[in-house]
Amino acid sequence: MKKSDKPIIVEQVFNASRTDVWNALTDIDEMKKWYFENIPAFEPVNGFKTSFNVISNGRNFLHKWEVTEVIPEERIAYTWRFEGYGGLSTTDFFLKEENGGVRLILTVTVQEDFQENIEEFKRESCIGGWNYFIKERLKNYLESKIRKD
């Protein structure tokens, strides 16, 4: 992914409350159920930093996140870096109520170019990954949570 690329935008409407969606995005116990199970800590606080490793195709991708914006139950943004690799992006999760549900608008903006020769850093891979996380994992998690309540 390159800085010159247009942002990646993934949208999904959930039949859930704003609070439920916000908690899924920001509560460490809930994040582990649909996002990355090995996140050691997360707090929706400006300046909060966390890191965790993901192995893909035999490579270590040490994710390094820093929260850059928080408006409770409306928006959270954080930067993504991978230790040992070039590149920096910002991921912004924006929530708005819509027809009794909540629309999540995820926007990924590249701040510094990622290495194009690495499959995981290609635009198509990023789009596929975010569609999987938002439209499958998060959607299924929230639907199963609502069924239990």
Side-chain angles (χ1 to χ4, degrees):
M1 294 188 341
K2 301 282 185 197
K3 187 176 179 179
S4 59
D5 290 344
K6 64 182 181 179
I8 292 169
I9 299 173
V10 175
E11 296 188 39
Q12 179 66 46
V13 176
F14 300 102
N15 183 23
S17 72
R18 185 185 287 244
T19 299
D20 282 342
V21 178
W22 178 257
N23 288 342
L25 296 173
T26 61
D27 178 273
I28 186 66
D29 293 328
E30 293 196 40
M31 293 169 77
K32 287 180 177 186
K33 292 176 182 167
W34 70 271
Y35 205 11
F36 292 100
E37 62 186 30
N38 61 334
I39 297 174
F42 189 84
E43 293 177 26
V45 175
N46 282 333
F48 177 81
K49 295 178 183 178
T50 192
S51 62
F52 57 96
N53 195 46
V54 173
I55 298 172
S56 177
N57 294 323
R59 288 190 176 107
N60 287 304
F61 292 97
L62 183 63
H63 292 55
K64 299 180 80 70
W65 293 354
E66 181 175 354
V67 176
T68 58
E69 181 179 8
V70 179
I71 302 171
E73 296 198 10
E74 183 178 322
R75 168 175 267 130
I76 186 160
Y78 42 91
T79 57
W80 288 59
R81 293 188 176 277
F82 300 93
E83 188 168 285
Y85 300 96
L88 173 70
S89 65
T90 299
T91 302
D92 182 300
F93 299 83
F94 176 72
L95 303 177
K96 70 178 188 177
E97 292 183 17
E98 182 175 300
N99 300 326
V102 175
R103 178 176 293 274
L104 168 62
I105 303 167
L106 170 100
T107 306
V108 178
T109 308
V110 176
Q111 311 296 327
E112 297 172 11
D113 292 352
F114 287 87
Q115 295 170 249
E116 285 287 312
N117 63 331
I118 297 175
E119 188 64 34
E120 289 83 354
F121 295 154
K122 290 184 178 175
R123 182 175 175 81
E124 299 75 29
S125 179
C126 188
I127 291 168
W130 281 115
N131 276 310
Y132 169 71
F133 276 120
I134 302 303
K135 294 184 175 194
E136 293 182 39
R137 299 278 304 200
L138 180 56
K139 184 175 187 283
N140 291 340
Y141 170 72
L142 287 168
E143 287 175 355
S144 70
K145 184 177 174 183
I146 290 167
R147 283 193 299 268
K148 290 178 186 173
D149 291 344

